[in-house]
Amino acid sequence: MGTLVLLSAFLLLSHSVSSCSSKSQATPYVELTTEEKARRSLEARDFAAAIEEYRSLLEADPENYEIFPYLATAYAGLAGFELIEAVKSTINNGGSTSLLDAMSTFLPADPSKEQIAAMAEAKATLLNMPAELRDKENSEVSYAASAGIQLEFYQTAYAIMYLNQFTQLDTTGTIDQARLESMSDEDVDVILGNLAEVAATGSGGVPEGASNILAKVDEQEGGSRREKLIKYLKPAETQPAAE
């Protein structure tokens, strides 16, 4: 994803969230609407309140698709991942693999089940939008391109968070092998499946980074995807030396 597109998405999201605050300051004696309350909660990083308020809006109008990206942002915030900060950190980053590394700095290193579930809700919220309304190439709907970029970030973030459950360090500072080996075939499908969906969305940026990871995993020796992923993740010093 090009720098200008990422910057545009960041500006769109940050302007939309902050616009409510300036409007409310201009009319301090007018009762805030639910949408204004939701955006204020999001701006204040009160993600639980924002989720409740945005869900209330969607209960009243389930096809108000412009609300979906904001609800997804609130869920991601509850998970410990803030899109705007992540996008800002990657705007001047030149490499696709390091782009994914940069995203990892905005994710919990040892996520709780609740955080992983919240991240799953973030991506599911965007996937519940009609495909054309989260299409990066749709220039006719103002929020479609940014929603598409958002989905790429959230699917990648979900894959990383899910993977982080199995890549904790032991007392020696290396990956805990018992925890890594506890990863099931179903877990691998979740991780690699999300990365594959991101990789299929285009070239450059996050999709290219996801493609690179998938390619490196596929290069590993092993009879199954689980074996390949585990070998890719194992530190070099824990792998058998070549004879």
Side-chain angles (χ1 to χ4, degrees):
M1 184 60 56
T3 298
L4 292 178
V5 176
L6 285 171
L7 181 58
S8 297
F10 161 65
L11 291 174
L12 175 61
L13 286 167
S14 59
H15 172 74
S16 298
V17 170
S18 63
S19 61
C20 166
S21 177
S22 60
K23 178 180 179 182
S24 300
Q25 291 172 4
T27 56
Y29 300 107
V30 176
E31 184 177 355
L32 298 177
T33 66
T34 302
E35 185 171 357
E36 288 170 333
K37 289 178 183 178
R39 292 190 184 184
R40 273 196 165 188
S41 296
L42 193 58
E43 185 181 45
R45 290 172 168 75
D46 186 350
F47 299 118
I51 289 168
E52 183 177 347
E53 288 151 355
Y54 281 124
R55 288 183 66 88
S56 176
L57 287 168
L58 288 175
E59 285 176 7
D61 184 4
E63 295 186 356
N64 185 0
Y65 294 115
E66 192 170 1
I67 294 297
F68 281 57
Y70 297 111
L71 177 58
T73 299
Y75 273 120
L78 195 65
F81 178 67
E82 295 184 43
L83 176 67
I84 292 174
E85 294 303 316
V87 172
K88 284 168 63 179
S89 77
T90 60
I91 286 174
N92 295 317
N93 194 310
S96 56
T97 301
S98 57
L99 178 66
L100 295 178
D101 291 339
M103 285 180 60
S104 296
T105 66
F106 292 92
L107 293 170
D110 189 7
S112 66
K113 296 294 184 183
E114 292 76 16
Q115 287 175 314
I116 293 173
M119 198 70 241
E121 286 291 342
K123 72 184 187 71
T125 297
L126 295 174
L127 286 170
N128 284 334
M129 298 173 68
E132 66 272 14
L133 298 184
R134 50 178 168 81
D135 182 352
K136 294 183 297 182
E137 305 303 321
N138 186 349
S139 59
E140 297 180 0
V141 178
S142 61
Y143 55 86
S146 60
I149 295 170
Q150 218 178 330
L151 181 56
E152 288 179 355
F153 271 78
Y154 288 172
Q155 285 183 299
T156 305
Y158 178 66
I160 294 171
M161 286 180 67
Y162 201 99
L163 180 60
N164 283 349
Q165 298 175 95
F166 307 102
T167 57
Q168 298 305 303
L169 304 182
D170 59 22
T171 55
T172 67
T174 58
I175 292 178
D176 185 329
Q177 295 303 302
R179 197 162 182 177
L180 183 60
E181 293 288 348
S182 72
M183 184 167 50
S184 68
D185 289 333
E186 291 75 15
D187 294 324
V188 173
D189 288 343
V190 170
I191 295 163
L192 298 185
N194 273 272
L195 291 175
E197 289 179 14
V198 173
T201 64
S203 59
V206 176
E208 185 176 340
S211 295
N212 289 344
I213 288 179
L214 291 170
K216 290 176 181 177
V217 170
D218 195 51
E219 290 171 359
Q220 306 301 314
E221 295 180 357
S224 68
R225 298 208 305 170
R226 177 181 175 277
E227 291 175 357
K228 288 175 178 286
L229 180 57
I230 288 176
K231 188 160 186 180
Y232 168 71
L233 293 168
K234 278 185 177 180
E237 62 270 19
T238 68
Q239 297 185 20
E243 296 181 1

